Amino acid sequence: MASSLDFHEMLRAAALRVTRPRLAVLSAVHAHPHTDTDSVIGAVREELPKVSHQAVYDSLRALTAAGLLRRIQPSGSVARYESRIGDNHHHVVCRSCGSIADVDCAVGEAPCLTASDDRGYLIDEAEVVYWGLCPDCSTAHSS
């Protein structure tokens, strides 16, 4: 996991001011991948009890815009944030409990970036979500 010093460097490299809320948000999302906004606020408040909701929202927006975090929102779910960026990975979502896990592209070099018909679009990212039951829910479902 990245350290506080790494977070300072990440913010500076992205031309963002180093603030306590931004550092706390980065730390929370790195520690809890696929976390929702309320969970980020809870984690940040453990470190900064008086931080406002708006400061966390603003930090999430700035960090996402700078490419330091990624925002995902599977159908029927609230927005979630992750620190795994810079690759074209996908997600698997449990239909029962809502847990989310990362999965790499199915085959070879980002095959999902080659659409069967791109309709003239210059495609630079694909978002694939696999749906099913996680191991815990699958076991509970079969019992």
Side-chain angles (χ1 to χ4, degrees):
M1 181 165 141
S3 70
S4 178
L5 183 58
D6 294 330
F7 296 145
H8 279 81
E9 291 173 12
M10 290 166 68
L11 289 169
R12 287 188 183 108
L16 292 174
R17 277 187 28 242
V18 177
T19 65
R20 292 181 69 204
R22 287 178 181 166
L23 290 169
V25 167
L26 275 174
S27 178
V29 175
H30 275 262
H32 307 284
H34 311 118
T35 192
D36 61 45
T37 305
D38 287 341
S39 298
V40 173
I41 291 169
V44 168
R45 284 195 169 155
E46 288 179 19
E47 187 178 329
L48 304 172
K50 295 183 181 184
V51 72
S52 69
H53 279 77
Q54 193 61 49
V56 174
Y57 284 114
D58 290 346
S59 295
L60 285 167
R61 189 172 15 264
L63 296 168
T64 301
L68 298 178
L69 297 179
R70 181 178 175 196
R71 181 183 186 274
I72 62 168
Q73 189 167 5
S75 179
S77 175
V78 297
R80 296 172 181 267
Y81 296 87
E82 65 180 345
S83 58
R84 183 175 170 185
I85 55 167
D87 67 352
N88 194 48
H89 74 278
H90 306 301
H91 298 95
V92 60
V93 180
C94 180
R95 290 186 188 278
S96 181
C97 70
S99 68
I100 300 174
D102 291 334
V103 291
D104 292 324
C105 280
V107 181
E109 185 83 20
C112 46
L113 290 180
T114 306
S116 60
D117 180 0
D118 63 20
R119 310 239 179 218
Y121 284 70
L122 179 60
I123 297 173
D124 63 8
E125 183 178 1
E127 209 170 290
V128 175
V129 178
Y130 300 96
W131 294 88
L133 294 175
C134 70
D136 290 341
C137 291
S138 180
T139 301
H141 185 70
S142 20
S143 313

